[in-house]
Amino acid sequence: MSYDTPLSPQGQQMASLPLREQLRRGFRDMGSRSYSSAKNFGKVGAIFAGTECCIESYRAKSDLSNSIAAGCITGGVLAAPAGPQAAAFGCAGFAAFSAAIDAFMHRQTD
C-alpha cells in the first residue's frame, strides 16, 4: 500500500481512522492495484501467445525455437519505449526465460 508506514503523513492519517475505514481503504487500494497487475499480465500473455502462434503457423513446427523467438519479440516490444538497449536486454531476458520454461515443461521424464 502506498501508505503502509505510520511515519509518512498518509500513514499517520490512516492510523487515526477507525479500523473499519482503514480496512475499507486498504481493500479498495488492493483491488485497484490487483486490477492493474492483471491488465499488465494479460498484455504480456497476449503478446507472447499471439507471437508464438504466428511463428508456429509460419514455420509449421512446434519446437523450442518458437518460444525463444516469441520471448525475444515480446521482451523487445515491452521494453522498446525505454530505448534500444533496454529492448535488447528485454529481448535476451524474456527469450532466456521462455527457453527455460519451455525446456522444463517439455522435458522427458524417465
Side-chain angles (χ1 to χ4, degrees), residues 87-109:
F89 278 112
C91 170
F94 214 109
F97 181 73
S98 299
I101 294 297
D102 207 30
F104 178 76
M105 296 298 287
H106 291 105
R107 67 183 174 159
Q108 298 292 329
T109 55

Side-chain angles (χ1 to χ4, degrees), residues 8-96:
S8 68
Q10 294 94 356
Q12 290 175 355
Q13 181 186 11
M14 278 293 287
S16 65
L17 294 173
L19 179 62
R20 187 178 185 110
E21 180 64 20
Q22 288 180 23
L23 290 173
R24 188 180 70 78
R25 288 187 185 189
F27 282 125
R28 186 184 325 141
D29 183 53
M30 193 173 21
S32 67
R33 290 174 189 259
S34 297
Y35 181 70
S36 175
S37 294
K39 284 192 318 186
N40 289 334
F41 187 75
K43 178 179 163 183
V44 171
I47 293 171
F48 179 79
T51 305
E52 187 178 29
C53 184
C54 289
I55 292 170
E56 192 171 310
S57 296
Y58 180 75
R59 293 184 66 228
K61 289 183 182 178
S62 180
D63 59 3
L64 187 63
S65 300
N66 296 340
S67 66
I68 293 173
C72 180
I73 291 169
T74 302
V77 166
L78 292 173
Q85 185 178 9
F89 278 112
C91 170
F94 214 109

